[in-house]
Tab-separated table of all heavy atoms in Angstrom:
chain	number	residue	atom	x	y	z
A	29	GLU	N	1.314	-7.779	6.461
A	29	GLU	CA	0.291	-7.852	5.445
A	29	GLU	C	-1.013	-7.324	6.030
A	29	GLU	O	-1.338	-7.601	7.169
A	29	GLU	CB	0.119	-9.301	4.992
A	29	GLU	CG	-0.947	-9.465	3.945
A	29	GLU	CD	-0.966	-10.874	3.411
A	29	GLU	OE1	0.023	-11.252	2.758
A	29	GLU	OE2	-1.956	-11.557	3.653
A	30	SER	N	-1.736	-6.560	5.231
A	30	SER	CA	-3.013	-5.997	5.653
A	30	SER	C	-4.087	-6.344	4.633
A	30	SER	O	-3.810	-6.526	3.453
A	30	SER	CB	-2.940	-4.472	5.746
A	30	SER	OG	-2.063	-4.071	6.761
A	31	THR	N	-5.313	-6.411	5.117
A	31	THR	CA	-6.477	-6.568	4.259
A	31	THR	C	-7.540	-5.610	4.768
A	31	THR	O	-7.842	-5.593	5.960
A	31	THR	CB	-7.016	-8.010	4.312
A	31	THR	OG1	-5.991	-8.900	3.942
A	31	THR	CG2	-8.201	-8.184	3.377
A	32	ASP	N	-8.090	-4.814	3.879
A	32	ASP	CA	-9.128	-3.857	4.240
A	32	ASP	C	-10.361	-4.183	3.414
A	32	ASP	O	-10.383	-3.957	2.204
A	32	ASP	CB	-8.654	-2.424	3.950
A	32	ASP	CG	-7.376	-2.096	4.696
A	32	ASP	OD1	-7.406	-2.147	5.931
A	32	ASP	OD2	-6.371	-1.799	4.044
A	33	ASP	N	-11.378	-4.716	4.057
A	33	ASP	CA	-12.559	-5.186	3.334
A	33	ASP	C	-13.320	-4.082	2.619
A	33	ASP	O	-13.926	-4.320	1.583
A	33	ASP	CB	-13.505	-5.920	4.280
A	33	ASP	CG	-12.918	-7.247	4.752
A	33	ASP	OD1	-12.053	-7.812	4.046
A	33	ASP	OD2	-13.329	-7.710	5.826
A	34	SER	N	-13.314	-2.880	3.180
A	34	SER	CA	-14.111	-1.815	2.568
A	34	SER	C	-13.284	-0.576	2.250
A	34	SER	O	-13.810	0.517	2.123
A	34	SER	CB	-15.276	-1.438	3.487
A	34	SER	OG	-14.779	-0.893	4.698
A	35	ARG	N	-11.990	-0.734	2.136
A	35	ARG	CA	-11.108	0.403	1.887
A	35	ARG	C	-10.148	0.091	0.763
A	35	ARG	O	-9.508	-0.952	0.751
A	35	ARG	CB	-10.317	0.701	3.158
A	35	ARG	CG	-9.342	1.840	3.010
A	35	ARG	CD	-8.547	2.057	4.275
A	35	ARG	NE	-9.430	2.232	5.395
A	35	ARG	CZ	-9.118	1.933	6.646
A	35	ARG	NH1	-7.938	1.451	6.939
A	35	ARG	NH2	-9.977	2.128	7.613
A	36	SER	N	-10.041	1.014	-0.173
A	36	SER	CA	-8.978	0.914	-1.162
A	36	SER	C	-7.820	1.781	-0.685
A	36	SER	O	-8.027	2.770	0.027
A	36	SER	CB	-9.456	1.360	-2.547
A	36	SER	OG	-9.753	2.730	-2.544
A	37	VAL	N	-6.622	1.375	-1.034
A	37	VAL	CA	-5.432	2.113	-0.618
A	37	VAL	C	-4.614	2.435	-1.869
A	37	VAL	O	-4.405	1.572	-2.726
A	37	VAL	CB	-4.566	1.294	0.365
A	37	VAL	CG1	-3.366	2.087	0.820
A	37	VAL	CG2	-5.388	0.836	1.556
A	38	ARG	N	-4.168	3.683	-1.954
A	38	ARG	CA	-3.297	4.096	-3.062
A	38	ARG	C	-2.027	4.676	-2.457
A	38	ARG	O	-2.074	5.456	-1.501
A	38	ARG	CB	-3.979	5.151	-3.920
A	38	ARG	CG	-3.091	5.602	-5.054
A	38	ARG	CD	-3.793	6.571	-5.944
A	38	ARG	NE	-2.917	6.930	-7.048
A	38	ARG	CZ	-3.311	7.540	-8.133
A	38	ARG	NH1	-4.572	7.866	-8.291
A	38	ARG	NH2	-2.446	7.830	-9.075
A	39	TRP	N	-0.895	4.287	-3.014
A	39	TRP	CA	0.399	4.821	-2.598
A	39	TRP	C	0.993	5.593	-3.763
A	39	TRP	O	1.065	5.080	-4.882
A	39	TRP	CB	1.354	3.702	-2.203
A	39	TRP	CG	0.853	2.849	-1.098
A	39	TRP	CD1	0.905	3.119	0.243
A	39	TRP	CD2	0.232	1.576	-1.224
A	39	TRP	NE1	0.361	2.094	0.957
A	39	TRP	CE2	-0.075	1.130	0.069
A	39	TRP	CE3	-0.120	0.784	-2.307
A	39	TRP	CZ2	-0.693	-0.083	0.323
A	39	TRP	CZ3	-0.739	-0.428	-2.065
A	39	TRP	CH2	-1.015	-0.843	-0.761
A	40	ILE	N	1.458	6.795	-3.486
A	40	ILE	CA	2.177	7.602	-4.473
A	40	ILE	C	3.611	7.722	-3.965
A	40	ILE	O	3.842	8.247	-2.862
A	40	ILE	CB	1.529	8.995	-4.629
A	40	ILE	CG1	0.057	8.841	-5.041
A	40	ILE	CG2	2.303	9.826	-5.649
A	40	ILE	CD1	-0.740	10.114	-4.893
A	41	ILE	N	4.550	7.242	-4.733
A	41	ILE	CA	5.954	7.234	-4.303
A	41	ILE	C	6.582	8.577	-4.670
A	41	ILE	O	6.613	8.959	-5.843
A	41	ILE	CB	6.723	6.077	-4.964
A	41	ILE	CG1	5.988	4.746	-4.752
A	41	ILE	CG2	8.157	6.020	-4.440
A	41	ILE	CD1	5.682	4.401	-3.312
A	42	THR	N	7.059	9.301	-3.657
A	42	THR	CA	7.659	10.617	-3.876
A	42	THR	C	9.184	10.584	-3.837
A	42	THR	O	9.829	11.504	-4.320
A	42	THR	CB	7.137	11.635	-2.851
A	42	THR	OG1	7.459	11.189	-1.526
A	42	THR	CG2	5.631	11.816	-2.978
A	43	GLU	N	9.740	9.520	-3.285
A	43	GLU	CA	11.208	9.359	-3.279
A	43	GLU	C	11.537	7.891	-3.042
A	43	GLU	O	10.953	7.245	-2.176
A	43	GLU	CB	11.849	10.211	-2.180
A	43	GLU	CG	13.366	10.198	-2.196
A	43	GLU	CD	13.981	11.130	-1.168
A	43	GLU	OE1	13.337	12.107	-0.772
A	43	GLU	OE2	15.133	10.869	-0.765
A	44	GLY	N	12.474	7.363	-3.806
A	44	GLY	CA	12.887	5.975	-3.653
A	44	GLY	C	12.052	5.034	-4.502
A	44	GLY	O	11.326	5.443	-5.401
A	45	THR	N	12.149	3.752	-4.166
A	45	THR	CA	11.403	2.706	-4.858
A	45	THR	C	10.769	1.797	-3.821
A	45	THR	O	11.444	1.332	-2.902
A	45	THR	CB	12.320	1.879	-5.781
A	45	THR	OG1	12.896	2.753	-6.757
A	45	THR	CG2	11.560	0.781	-6.499
A	46	ALA	N	9.468	1.539	-3.995
A	46	ALA	CA	8.745	0.658	-3.088
A	46	ALA	C	8.549	-0.705	-3.734
A	46	ALA	O	8.375	-0.804	-4.947
A	46	ALA	CB	7.386	1.252	-2.736
A	47	SER	N	8.566	-1.728	-2.919
A	47	SER	CA	8.155	-3.056	-3.331
A	47	SER	C	6.757	-3.246	-2.761
A	47	SER	O	6.570	-3.245	-1.540
A	47	SER	CB	9.113	-4.122	-2.774
A	47	SER	OG	8.626	-5.409	-3.065
A	48	ILE	N	5.769	-3.363	-3.642
A	48	ILE	CA	4.378	-3.437	-3.209
A	48	ILE	C	3.769	-4.732	-3.696
A	48	ILE	O	3.827	-5.058	-4.877
A	48	ILE	CB	3.574	-2.229	-3.733
A	48	ILE	CG1	4.175	-0.932	-3.184
A	48	ILE	CG2	2.106	-2.368	-3.358
A	48	ILE	CD1	3.500	0.329	-3.689
A	49	ARG	N	3.209	-5.483	-2.737
A	49	ARG	CA	2.513	-6.722	-3.082
A	49	ARG	C	1.024	-6.500	-2.926
A	49	ARG	O	0.562	-6.075	-1.872
A	49	ARG	CB	2.954	-7.884	-2.199
A	49	ARG	CG	2.254	-9.185	-2.587
A	49	ARG	CD	2.897	-10.402	-1.970
A	49	ARG	NE	3.115	-10.307	-0.551
A	49	ARG	CZ	2.212	-10.655	0.368
A	49	ARG	NH1	1.029	-11.097	0.024
A	49	ARG	NH2	2.516	-10.557	1.647
A	50	VAL	N	0.277	-6.767	-3.970
A	50	VAL	CA	-1.186	-6.720	-3.930
A	50	VAL	C	-1.655	-8.076	-4.430
A	50	VAL	O	-1.386	-8.458	-5.572
A	50	VAL	CB	-1.751	-5.584	-4.804
A	50	VAL	CG1	-3.270	-5.615	-4.800
A	50	VAL	CG2	-1.245	-4.224	-4.331
A	51	GLY	N	-2.321	-8.819	-3.541
A	51	GLY	CA	-2.666	-10.196	-3.886
A	51	GLY	C	-1.377	-10.985	-4.064
A	51	GLY	O	-0.487	-10.911	-3.241
A	52	GLY	N	-1.232	-11.679	-5.164
A	52	GLY	CA	-0.019	-12.445	-5.417
A	52	GLY	C	0.973	-11.762	-6.334
A	52	GLY	O	1.953	-12.354	-6.739
A	53	THR	N	0.728	-10.483	-6.641
A	53	THR	CA	1.592	-9.752	-7.578
A	53	THR	C	2.496	-8.782	-6.839
A	53	THR	O	2.012	-7.957	-6.059
A	53	THR	CB	0.745	-8.974	-8.604
A	53	THR	OG1	-0.101	-9.901	-9.290
A	53	THR	CG2	1.619	-8.252	-9.604
A	54	ILE	N	3.794	-8.869	-7.072
A	54	ILE	CA	4.764	-7.941	-6.486
A	54	ILE	C	5.250	-7.005	-7.575
A	54	ILE	O	5.645	-7.449	-8.657
A	54	ILE	CB	5.950	-8.686	-5.862
A	54	ILE	CG1	5.469	-9.595	-4.724
A	54	ILE	CG2	7.000	-7.685	-5.352
A	54	ILE	CD1	6.539	-10.495	-4.152
A	55	SER	N	5.205	-5.696	-7.276
A	55	SER	CA	5.653	-4.687	-8.239
A	55	SER	C	6.677	-3.777	-7.594
A	55	SER	O	6.557	-3.442	-6.411
A	55	SER	CB	4.464	-3.830	-8.696
A	55	SER	OG	3.482	-4.622	-9.294
A	56	LEU	N	7.688	-3.381	-8.375
A	56	LEU	CA	8.604	-2.330	-7.945
A	56	LEU	C	8.035	-1.019	-8.461
A	56	LEU	O	7.829	-0.863	-9.675
A	56	LEU	CB	10.007	-2.575	-8.488
A	56	LEU	CG	10.729	-3.781	-7.901
A	56	LEU	CD1	12.099	-3.939	-8.551
A	56	LEU	CD2	10.872	-3.646	-6.388
A	57	VAL	N	7.783	-0.091	-7.544
A	57	VAL	CA	7.120	1.169	-7.883
A	57	VAL	C	8.106	2.306	-7.630
A	57	VAL	O	8.430	2.606	-6.483
A	57	VAL	CB	5.824	1.340	-7.063
A	57	VAL	CG1	5.096	2.601	-7.487
A	57	VAL	CG2	4.923	0.113	-7.226
A	58	PRO	N	8.613	2.956	-8.691
A	58	PRO	CA	9.631	3.992	-8.543
A	58	PRO	C	9.027	5.370	-8.245
A	58	PRO	O	7.808	5.570	-8.333
A	58	PRO	CB	10.319	3.992	-9.905
A	58	PRO	CG	9.227	3.610	-10.851
A	58	PRO	CD	8.368	2.632	-10.097
A	59	THR	N	9.896	6.314	-7.947
A	59	THR	CA	9.503	7.702	-7.714
A	59	THR	C	8.611	8.204	-8.856
A	59	THR	O	8.895	7.963	-10.020
A	59	THR	CB	10.760	8.594	-7.631
A	59	THR	OG1	11.574	8.143	-6.549
A	59	THR	CG2	10.397	10.055	-7.406
A	60	GLY	N	7.520	8.881	-8.475
A	60	GLY	CA	6.603	9.434	-9.449
A	60	GLY	C	5.514	8.485	-9.909
A	60	GLY	O	4.626	8.878	-10.660
A	61	SER	N	5.544	7.258	-9.448
A	61	SER	CA	4.540	6.270	-9.823
A	61	SER	C	3.637	5.965	-8.636
A	61	SER	O	3.917	6.366	-7.514
A	61	SER	CB	5.204	4.985	-10.309
A	61	SER	OG	5.969	5.238	-11.471
A	62	SER	N	2.566	5.216	-8.904
A	62	SER	CA	1.641	4.867	-7.825
A	62	SER	C	1.143	3.449	-7.996
A	62	SER	O	1.285	2.842	-9.062
A	62	SER	CB	0.463	5.843	-7.782
A	62	SER	OG	-0.315	5.738	-8.950
A	63	ALA	N	0.542	2.922	-6.938
A	63	ALA	CA	-0.053	1.593	-6.947
A	63	ALA	C	-1.330	1.650	-6.121
A	63	ALA	O	-1.456	2.470	-5.211
A	63	ALA	CB	0.909	0.561	-6.379
A	64	ILE	N	-2.260	0.752	-6.440
A	64	ILE	CA	-3.547	0.713	-5.758
A	64	ILE	C	-3.831	-0.713	-5.288
A	64	ILE	O	-3.627	-1.668	-6.031
A	64	ILE	CB	-4.685	1.182	-6.680
A	64	ILE	CG1	-4.473	2.629	-7.083
A	64	ILE	CG2	-6.050	0.994	-6.015
A	64	ILE	CD1	-5.455	3.136	-8.119
A	65	ALA	N	-4.328	-0.833	-4.048
A	65	ALA	CA	-4.856	-2.091	-3.535
A	65	ALA	C	-6.363	-1.910	-3.394
A	65	ALA	O	-6.816	-1.063	-2.635
A	65	ALA	CB	-4.238	-2.436	-2.186
A	66	PRO	N	-7.155	-2.667	-4.147
A	66	PRO	CA	-8.599	-2.519	-4.055
A	66	PRO	C	-9.140	-3.111	-2.745
A	66	PRO	O	-8.429	-3.875	-2.073
A	66	PRO	CB	-9.118	-3.304	-5.262
A	66	PRO	CG	-8.057	-4.287	-5.573
A	66	PRO	CD	-6.760	-3.643	-5.149
A	67	PRO	N	-10.365	-2.778	-2.380
A	67	PRO	CA	-10.951	-3.354	-1.166
A	67	PRO	C	-10.884	-4.887	-1.190
A	67	PRO	O	-11.116	-5.515	-2.222
A	67	PRO	CB	-12.410	-2.873	-1.210
A	67	PRO	CG	-12.377	-1.635	-2.022
A	67	PRO	CD	-11.305	-1.872	-3.053
A	68	GLY	N	-10.505	-5.469	-0.058
A	68	GLY	CA	-10.441	-6.921	0.066
A	68	GLY	C	-9.147	-7.560	-0.370
A	68	GLY	O	-8.936	-8.746	-0.129
A	69	ALA	N	-8.260	-6.802	-1.006
A	69	ALA	CA	-6.987	-7.375	-1.481
A	69	ALA	C	-5.936	-7.337	-0.375
A	69	ALA	O	-5.719	-6.300	0.248
A	69	ALA	CB	-6.484	-6.604	-2.690
A	70	ALA	N	-5.295	-8.462	-0.147
A	70	ALA	CA	-4.166	-8.489	0.788
A	70	ALA	C	-3.042	-7.663	0.187
A	70	ALA	O	-2.787	-7.739	-1.019
A	70	ALA	CB	-3.708	-9.923	1.023
A	71	HIS	N	-2.386	-6.839	1.012
A	71	HIS	CA	-1.337	-5.969	0.478
A	71	HIS	C	-0.240	-5.729	1.506
A	71	HIS	O	-0.458	-5.840	2.706
A	71	HIS	CB	-1.922	-4.640	-0.002
A	71	HIS	CG	-2.722	-3.915	1.027
A	71	HIS	ND1	-4.048	-4.179	1.241
A	71	HIS	CD2	-2.385	-2.947	1.905
A	71	HIS	CE1	-4.510	-3.400	2.197
A	71	HIS	NE2	-3.505	-2.643	2.629
A	72	ARG	N	0.932	-5.405	0.968
A	72	ARG	CA	2.111	-5.131	1.807
A	72	ARG	C	3.020	-4.186	1.027
A	72	ARG	O	3.218	-4.347	-0.175
A	72	ARG	CB	2.839	-6.425	2.128
A	72	ARG	CG	4.053	-6.244	3.024
A	72	ARG	CD	4.663	-7.595	3.357
A	72	ARG	NE	5.811	-7.454	4.195
A	72	ARG	CZ	5.776	-7.481	5.533
A	72	ARG	NH1	4.629	-7.649	6.153
A	72	ARG	NH2	6.885	-7.360	6.236
A	73	LEU	N	3.592	-3.221	1.726
A	73	LEU	CA	4.501	-2.258	1.123
A	73	LEU	C	5.817	-2.288	1.895
A	73	LEU	O	5.812	-2.293	3.119
A	73	LEU	CB	3.893	-0.854	1.186
A	73	LEU	CG	4.739	0.263	0.589
A	73	LEU	CD1	3.846	1.260	-0.116
A	73	LEU	CD2	5.561	0.954	1.660
A	74	GLU	N	6.933	-2.310	1.164
A	74	GLU	CA	8.262	-2.295	1.767
A	74	GLU	C	9.178	-1.409	0.953
A	74	GLU	O	8.964	-1.208	-0.250
A	74	GLU	CB	8.860	-3.702	1.805
A	74	GLU	CG	8.097	-4.687	2.639
A	74	GLU	CD	8.723	-6.074	2.606
A	74	GLU	OE1	9.581	-6.341	1.724
A	74	GLU	OE2	8.351	-6.902	3.439
A	75	ASN	N	10.233	-0.904	1.590
A	75	ASN	CA	11.286	-0.195	0.890
A	75	ASN	C	12.072	-1.219	0.083
A	75	ASN	O	12.539	-2.222	0.622
A	75	ASN	CB	12.188	0.520	1.888
A	75	ASN	CG	13.177	1.452	1.225
A	75	ASN	OD1	13.396	1.400	0.031
A	75	ASN	ND2	13.787	2.308	2.015
A	76	ALA	N	12.208	-0.997	-1.216
A	76	ALA	CA	12.937	-1.938	-2.072
A	76	ALA	C	14.448	-1.842	-1.876
A	76	ALA	O	15.186	-2.712	-2.332
A	76	ALA	CB	12.582	-1.691	-3.530
A	77	SER	N	14.918	-0.785	-1.199
A	77	SER	CA	16.348	-0.567	-1.012
A	77	SER	C	16.725	-0.702	0.463
A	77	SER	O	15.996	-0.264	1.341
A	77	SER	CB	16.732	0.838	-1.490
A	77	SER	OG	18.075	1.123	-1.148
A	78	ALA	N	17.871	-1.287	0.697
A	78	ALA	CA	18.391	-1.383	2.059
A	78	ALA	C	19.084	-0.095	2.481
A	78	ALA	O	19.338	0.122	3.664
A	78	ALA	CB	19.367	-2.551	2.165
A	79	THR	N	19.386	0.793	1.525
A	79	THR	CA	20.148	2.003	1.853
A	79	THR	C	19.436	3.307	1.504
A	79	THR	O	19.671	4.321	2.147
A	79	THR	CB	21.515	1.991	1.133
A	79	THR	OG1	21.301	1.874	-0.275
A	79	THR	CG2	22.375	0.826	1.623
A	80	ASP	N	18.568	3.309	0.496
A	80	ASP	CA	17.910	4.546	0.071
A	80	ASP	C	16.633	4.792	0.878
A	80	ASP	O	15.961	3.858	1.316
A	80	ASP	CB	17.554	4.488	-1.418
A	80	ASP	CG	18.784	4.439	-2.303
A	80	ASP	OD1	19.845	4.940	-1.874
A	80	ASP	OD2	18.678	3.894	-3.413
A	81	VAL	N	16.294	6.056	1.029
A	81	VAL	CA	15.081	6.458	1.736
A	81	VAL	C	13.870	6.227	0.841
A	81	VAL	O	13.921	6.422	-0.369
A	81	VAL	CB	15.170	7.952	2.128
A	81	VAL	CG1	13.865	8.462	2.670
A	81	VAL	CG2	16.302	8.167	3.120
A	82	LEU	N	12.764	5.808	1.463
A	82	LEU	CA	11.488	5.686	0.762
A	82	LEU	C	10.525	6.689	1.378
A	82	LEU	O	10.309	6.689	2.583
A	82	LEU	CB	10.915	4.270	0.897
A	82	LEU	CG	9.509	4.057	0.326
A	82	LEU	CD1	9.506	4.291	-1.192
A	82	LEU	CD2	8.992	2.670	0.661
A	83	LYS	N	9.975	7.570	0.538
A	83	LYS	CA	8.958	8.518	0.979
A	83	LYS	C	7.734	8.343	0.099
A	83	LYS	O	7.867	8.157	-1.118
A	83	LYS	CB	9.459	9.959	0.892
A	83	LYS	CG	10.591	10.253	1.854
A	83	LYS	CD	11.014	11.698	1.775
A	83	LYS	CE	12.172	11.981	2.720
A	83	LYS	NZ	12.585	13.408	2.631
A	84	LEU	N	6.563	8.393	0.716
A	84	LEU	CA	5.341	8.155	-0.040
A	84	LEU	C	4.165	8.884	0.576
A	84	LEU	O	4.225	9.332	1.717
A	84	LEU	CB	5.042	6.658	-0.119
A	84	LEU	CG	4.877	5.935	1.223
A	84	LEU	CD1	3.414	5.809	1.591
A	84	LEU	CD2	5.535	4.569	1.148
A	85	ILE	N	3.121	8.984	-0.197
A	85	ILE	CA	1.836	9.478	0.267
A	85	ILE	C	0.882	8.304	0.188
A	85	ILE	O	0.803	7.622	-0.841
A	85	ILE	CB	1.329	10.642	-0.621
A	85	ILE	CG1	2.310	11.812	-0.563
A	85	ILE	CG2	-0.075	11.061	-0.201
A	85	ILE	CD1	2.066	12.854	-1.629
A	86	GLN	N	0.156	8.053	1.282
A	86	GLN	CA	-0.838	6.979	1.277
A	86	GLN	C	-2.221	7.612	1.363
A	86	GLN	O	-2.477	8.447	2.224
A	86	GLN	CB	-0.639	6.030	2.454
A	86	GLN	CG	-1.713	4.952	2.517
A	86	GLN	CD	-1.463	3.945	3.599
A	86	GLN	OE1	-0.450	3.241	3.569
A	86	GLN	NE2	-2.369	3.859	4.552
A	87	ILE	N	-3.099	7.182	0.464
A	87	ILE	CA	-4.476	7.663	0.447
A	87	ILE	C	-5.382	6.459	0.602
A	87	ILE	O	-5.301	5.511	-0.189
A	87	ILE	CB	-4.792	8.392	-0.873
A	87	ILE	CG1	-3.838	9.563	-1.076
A	87	ILE	CG2	-6.249	8.846	-0.900
A	87	ILE	CD1	-3.836	10.119	-2.472
A	88	ALA	N	-6.234	6.486	1.627
A	88	ALA	CA	-7.186	5.397	1.852
A	88	ALA	C	-8.592	5.945	1.676
A	88	ALA	O	-8.932	6.985	2.239
A	88	ALA	CB	-7.004	4.824	3.246
A	89	VAL	N	-9.366	5.262	0.864
A	89	VAL	CA	-10.760	5.648	0.651
A	89	VAL	C	-11.615	4.569	1.296
A	89	VAL	O	-11.614	3.417	0.868
A	89	VAL	CB	-11.085	5.785	-0.850
A	89	VAL	CG1	-12.554	6.138	-1.044
A	89	VAL	CG2	-10.188	6.831	-1.484
A	90	ASP	N	-12.317	4.947	2.353
A	90	ASP	CA	-13.080	4.005	3.165
A	90	ASP	C	-14.562	4.178	2.900
A	90	ASP	O	-15.084	5.286	2.983
A	90	ASP	CB	-12.778	4.243	4.636
A	90	ASP	CG	-13.113	3.054	5.516
A	90	ASP	OD1	-13.868	2.178	5.068
A	90	ASP	OD2	-12.612	3.021	6.646
A	91	ILE	N	-15.241	3.079	2.589
A	91	ILE	CA	-16.686	3.141	2.403
A	91	ILE	C	-17.447	2.647	3.632
A	91	ILE	O	-18.661	2.660	3.652
A	91	ILE	CB	-17.125	2.341	1.149
A	91	ILE	CG1	-16.692	0.893	1.257
A	91	ILE	CG2	-16.564	2.981	-0.102
A	91	ILE	CD1	-17.235	-0.005	0.161
A	92	ASP	N	-16.720	2.243	4.680
A	92	ASP	CA	-17.320	1.759	5.920
A	92	ASP	C	-16.602	2.419	7.075
A	92	ASP	O	-15.462	2.085	7.366
A	92	ASP	CB	-17.215	0.239	6.007
A	92	ASP	CG	-17.806	-0.327	7.278
A	92	ASP	OD1	-18.434	0.419	8.048
A	92	ASP	OD2	-17.619	-1.529	7.508
A	93	VAL	N	-17.249	3.331	7.772
A	93	VAL	CA	-16.582	4.075	8.852
A	93	VAL	C	-16.432	3.286	10.139
A	93	VAL	O	-15.816	3.742	11.083
A	93	VAL	CB	-17.325	5.411	9.140
A	93	VAL	CG1	-17.253	6.325	7.938
A	93	VAL	CG2	-18.758	5.149	9.551
A	94	ASP	N	-16.948	2.066	10.208
A	94	ASP	CA	-16.820	1.238	11.420
A	94	ASP	C	-15.415	0.693	11.584
A	94	ASP	O	-15.031	0.292	12.668
A	94	ASP	CB	-17.815	0.080	11.395
A	94	ASP	CG	-19.236	0.564	11.541
A	94	ASP	OD1	-19.441	1.638	12.139
A	94	ASP	OD2	-20.147	-0.119	11.039
A	95	GLY	N	-14.642	0.621	10.524
A	95	GLY	CA	-13.263	0.122	10.606
A	95	GLY	C	-13.217	-1.386	10.521
A	95	GLY	O	-13.885	-2.076	11.265
A	96	ASP	N	-12.432	-1.893	9.603
A	96	ASP	CA	-12.376	-3.336	9.378
A	96	ASP	C	-10.994	-3.810	8.979
A	96	ASP	O	-10.850	-4.839	8.347
A	96	ASP	CB	-13.397	-3.739	8.328
A	96	ASP	CG	-13.180	-3.020	7.013
A	96	ASP	OD1	-12.194	-2.277	6.912
A	96	ASP	OD2	-13.985	-3.196	6.102
A	97	THR	N	-9.950	-3.072	9.334
A	97	THR	CA	-8.598	-3.477	8.949
A	97	THR	C	-8.170	-4.690	9.745
A	97	THR	O	-8.278	-4.722	10.965
A	97	THR	CB	-7.611	-2.326	9.183
A	97	THR	OG1	-8.012	-1.210	8.397
A	97	THR	CG2	-6.186	-2.732	8.807
A	98	ARG	N	-7.680	-5.715	9.053
A	98	ARG	CA	-7.142	-6.907	9.685
A	98	ARG	C	-5.657	-6.961	9.421
A	98	ARG	O	-5.219	-6.758	8.303
A	98	ARG	CB	-7.810	-8.163	9.135
A	98	ARG	CG	-9.280	-8.257	9.457
A	98	ARG	CD	-9.831	-9.634	9.071
A	98	ARG	NE	-9.398	-10.093	7.768
A	98	ARG	CZ	-10.053	-9.891	6.633
A	98	ARG	NH1	-11.153	-9.198	6.616
A	98	ARG	NH2	-9.597	-10.380	5.492
A	99	ARG	N	-4.874	-7.258	10.440
A	99	ARG	CA	-3.428	-7.385	10.268
A	99	ARG	C	-3.020	-8.804	10.656
A	99	ARG	O	-3.399	-9.310	11.696
A	99	ARG	CB	-2.696	-6.376	11.137
A	99	ARG	CG	-3.186	-4.970	10.882
A	99	ARG	CD	-2.078	-3.965	11.022
A	99	ARG	NE	-2.590	-2.622	10.910
A	99	ARG	CZ	-2.778	-1.973	9.784
A	99	ARG	NH1	-2.485	-2.543	8.660
A	99	ARG	NH2	-3.236	-0.743	9.769
A	100	ASP	N	-2.254	-9.440	9.767
A	100	ASP	CA	-1.792	-10.796	10.035
A	100	ASP	C	-0.369	-10.793	10.491
A	100	ASP	O	0.388	-9.927	10.243
A	100	ASP	CB	-1.908	-11.658	8.771
A	100	ASP	CG	-3.366	-11.789	8.328
A	100	ASP	OD1	-4.252	-11.758	9.188
A	100	ASP	OD2	-3.586	-11.917	7.115
């Protein structure tokens, strides 16, 4: 699980299905879809399949260049 106080994160799924948790909400995100974690939201991304490949593009928009990612 990660929390980024000053960074939003967007995932675009290009192959497979991701299980993405943002805060207390878990979503299955299929190929061609995307999900966003706003700044300060706890988030986690996993492959929803034990056998299929998951490919994605991650875009992080940081408003604080000092870096503040916390990993639990």
Side-chain angles (χ1 to χ4, degrees):
E29 179 173 293
S30 294
T31 303
D32 302 299
D33 291 336
S34 64
R35 178 182 306 153
S36 66
V37 182
R38 179 176 182 166
W39 301 278
I40 302 166
I41 308 305
T42 60
E43 185 176 335
T45 299
S47 174
I48 299 177
R49 182 166 50 88
V50 177
T53 303
I54 298 173
S55 301
L56 291 178
V57 184
T59 300
S61 298
S62 65
I64 297 173
H71 54 275
R72 181 177 180 92
L73 180 143
E74 297 179 345
N75 189 345
S77 172
T79 57
D80 295 333
V81 171
L82 174 63
K83 294 183 181 180
L84 59 97
I85 298 167
Q86 177 175 298
I87 302 165
V89 178
D90 200 342
I91 58 173
D92 179 8
V93 296
D94 291 333
D96 58 4
T97 300
R98 294 189 315 268
R99 306 214 186 274
D100 297 329

